[in-house]
Amino acid sequence: MELETLLSNKEAVFQVLGTIVVGACVLYGLTVLISSSKKVAKPNLASQRALKRGSVNIDLNENEEADIAEAQRDFLRSLDAVRVVTKVTSISFEKLENLKKRSAFDLLLSVVQDEYSGNTDLKLLLNRILKHIRVAPGISVLLDAEISPPALFQPRYTLVLSENSAFVITDGFAGQPCFGPPDPNKKYTEKRIRYMTENLANLKSETAVLVNYYLCSTAKKKIEDEIDIEQLQHCLRGVILGS
């Protein structure tokens, strides 16, 4: 009887020890699994976090004919980089074959006329738009962001239109080091900048246009990959643009 009791006690001890060992192994396995899953799931926020934000005021100069003429010439030189976005359409001037200079202005005016129904004079609004579809306003932005040299690579201009608003958004690579071929339209850097005008149909000042910007890290080599047209259209359908 004593032998049986002893053996029974030993079996119980072994069962307890076995349970402890198995529990330890399971706990270790779960720890490893959770640890590895955290490593996989952890997002890299470096490219999503703004390195710098700011705003600048760009002189309006609405009555200076020379400035308007220069803006028109810059627009024609930048046609390949221009896109117009409304709630339901997206027009890329680059994809329009045999687009002549005069027809480019006519097309832009036609799109603005069709979409915008506010109180601002169309010619005045068109001139404001043209003045921001070019690199010139970006120099002030780049200087404020302390980017040296103040150069913008692969600039892309997106005119976002609704029945009562008109915004111009500019995207491009900026900063150093710079990579790619000598052509500025193909160069890229490790930083991208986006800046956007206030509503050009309803300016807060009579002398200047407020432009907001932010600078971010990026691993992209083509600026088009940073422009989400569907997101812009979603903003127009009800989400506050630029929020």
Side-chain angles (χ1 to χ4, degrees):
M1 179 67 77
E2 292 180 358
L3 181 59
E4 291 178 356
T5 303
L6 181 62
L7 290 173
S8 177
N9 290 338
K10 282 185 176 181
E11 288 178 359
V13 170
F14 286 141
Q15 287 178 355
V16 172
L17 289 174
T19 302
I20 293 173
V21 171
V22 171
C25 291
V26 172
L27 181 61
Y28 175 75
L30 288 173
T31 303
V32 172
L33 180 61
I34 292 172
S35 176
S36 62
S37 66
K38 283 183 178 180
K39 289 180 181 179
V40 172
K42 185 177 181 181
N44 178 12
L45 298 177
S47 62
Q48 301 172 13
R49 192 174 296 129
L51 300 174
K52 188 165 188 177
R53 295 177 182 270
S55 59
V56 295
N57 288 302
I58 308 297
D59 290 340
L60 203 51
N61 297 329
E62 288 194 305
N63 296 320
E64 294 188 11
E65 294 185 4
D67 190 53
I68 294 172
E70 183 181 358
Q72 291 175 343
R73 289 192 296 270
D74 288 344
F75 168 72
L76 294 175
R77 285 193 287 262
S78 305
L79 284 180
D80 289 348
V82 178
R83 182 186 296 272
V84 181
V85 174
T86 69
K87 291 180 182 179
V88 295
T89 62
S90 175
I91 302 171
S92 174
F93 279 62
E94 181 183 15
K95 296 180 180 180
L96 299 177
E97 297 180 1
N98 302 320
L99 187 64
K100 297 180 181 180
K101 293 182 178 181
R102 188 66 259 164
S103 58
F105 284 118
D106 292 340
L107 175 60
L108 182 61
L109 179 60
S110 174
V111 174
V112 174
Q113 283 178 326
D114 290 343
E115 190 66 27
Y116 180 73
S117 57
N119 297 323
T120 302
D121 178 75
L122 281 177
K123 182 178 179 181
L124 187 65
L125 180 58
L126 189 63
N127 286 337
R128 290 176 182 174
I129 291 169
L130 289 172
K131 287 183 179 181
H132 287 272
I133 302 182
R134 54 177 180 163
V135 174
I139 301 300
S140 298
V141 173
L142 295 170
L143 290 173
D144 189 82
E146 298 180 336
I147 295 175
S148 181
L152 192 65
F153 305 109
Q154 295 189 40
R156 294 295 182 271
Y157 309 96
T158 305
L159 170 60
V160 184
L161 281 172
S162 74
E163 60 272 10
N164 56 11
S165 65
F167 299 85
V168 175
I169 302 174
T170 303
D171 291 277
F173 293 106
Q176 295 291 330
C178 188
F179 310 98
D183 186 353
N185 291 316
K186 295 181 180 180
K187 284 183 178 292
Y188 61 93
T189 70
E190 296 175 339
K191 298 182 182 69
R192 69 176 179 90
I193 193 165
R194 164 174 281 194
Y195 51 94
M196 182 179 74
T197 68
E198 62 176 306
N199 183 2
L200 296 174
N202 186 24
L203 298 180
K204 298 177 182 178
S205 168
E206 296 181 356
T207 59
V209 176
L210 180 66
V211 175
N212 295 302
Y213 70 85
Y214 67 87
L215 182 71
C216 291
S217 297
T218 182
K220 306 290 187 183
K221 297 182 180 180
K222 293 183 178 180
I223 201 64
E224 288 91 345
D225 296 337
E226 294 282 9
I227 304 173
D228 190 336
I229 300 302
E230 290 185 0
Q231 183 186 48
L232 292 176
Q233 290 177 324
H234 177 65
C235 291
L236 283 173
R237 294 187 190 107
V239 179
I240 300 174
L241 188 64
S243 61

